[in-house]
Amino acid sequence: MFNRMKHTYIILFRGINVGGKNLLPMKELVEVLTDHNYQNIQTYIQSGNMVLQSQGKPEDVPSIVLDRFGFEPEVLVLEKPEFLAAVADNPFSSSHGKDIHFFFCKDMPEPDSVKLEKYKSESEEYHIEGKVFYLFAPDGIGRSKLAANIESCLGTAATGRNLNTIHKLQEMLFPV
């Protein structure tokens, strides 16, 4: 019997469990995905961070959610090596994990430098590497006009995670 190798994926959900809309209970989602032959599923906080294993890319997750929960979420699926490369390419360091943000882009960004400079505050720094936009925002992401306008600045959909979340996902990739 042919045994296909399992691959590890990071799934980043966009716009779930926010403001009472697109409610997606993680515990229940794990059960549903297990029924669809996904394995070793782990979640981190209710905002949509998941690590799982499967034999093929988990492109059917949005339709599974639609069938079970009544809405189709936007997701970004990253393979383990792709995620680890993004972590390694982070150009910023800070003792505060909430200062650094990774915005994973759906498509290759086409940055609008005029908009980027218009929205960037004096304290902010950014860097683009492949399909990842890195933002150092020491005054907080909630105050960042750049973060609020990131998709129009990059010309593509993106979903952001702070460095604390990135580190937690990285830990989930290498369970003890």
Side-chain angles (χ1 to χ4, degrees):
M1 179 180 225
F2 183 72
N3 186 11
R4 291 178 58 190
M5 195 167 101
K6 285 184 265 181
H7 297 278
T8 302
Y9 297 93
I10 297 85
I11 301 179
L12 304 175
F13 291 82
R14 285 176 35 111
I16 64 161
N17 299 330
V18 178
K21 295 185 179 184
N22 296 336
L23 298 178
L24 188 57
M26 291 293 120
K27 185 176 180 183
E28 199 172 334
L29 177 60
V30 168
E31 293 170 7
V32 171
L33 292 177
T34 300
D35 291 342
H36 283 81
N37 298 317
Y38 291 106
Q39 299 172 334
N40 302 318
I41 304 167
Q42 303 172 73
T43 63
Y44 175 64
I45 63 177
Q46 289 293 103
S47 61
N49 304 287
M50 178 176 284
V51 173
L52 56 71
Q53 289 185 320
S54 69
Q55 291 181 344
K57 196 166 183 178
E59 296 175 326
D60 62 343
V61 169
S63 61
I64 292 170
V65 172
L66 177 63
D67 290 346
R68 178 63 177 86
F69 300 96
F71 71 96
E72 190 169 12
E74 289 183 59
V75 299
L76 199 75
V77 178
L78 302 167
E79 293 185 32
K80 182 178 178 177
E82 182 182 10
F83 178 82
L84 293 175
V87 174
D89 289 343
N90 172 22
F92 303 114
S93 66
S94 173
S95 59
H96 303 288
K98 291 187 176 187
D99 290 350
I100 300 171
H101 301 267
F102 292 49
F103 289 87
F104 295 93
C105 299
K106 181 178 179 182
D107 299 309
M108 190 60 72
E110 297 180 17
D112 181 328
S113 58
V114 173
K115 281 186 180 179
L116 285 166
E117 290 305 313
K118 172 183 172 185
Y119 292 121
K120 182 178 107 37
S121 74
E122 282 186 30
S123 66
E124 292 177 329
E125 296 177 49
Y126 64 85
H127 177 76
I128 301 171
E129 187 70 40
K131 291 171 69 174
V132 183
F133 178 88
Y134 300 90
L135 176 62
F136 177 67
D139 295 334
I141 198 74
R143 297 179 136 163
S144 175
K145 290 180 182 176
L146 182 52
N149 293 283
I150 198 64
E151 291 183 353
S152 71
C153 291
L154 298 177
T156 185
T159 187
R161 300 296 188 271
N162 70 32
L163 188 58
N164 291 336
T165 298
I166 296 297
H167 283 161
K168 183 61 179 176
L169 288 168
Q170 190 175 15
E171 288 173 20
M172 291 164 59
L173 292 172
F174 299 100
V176 177

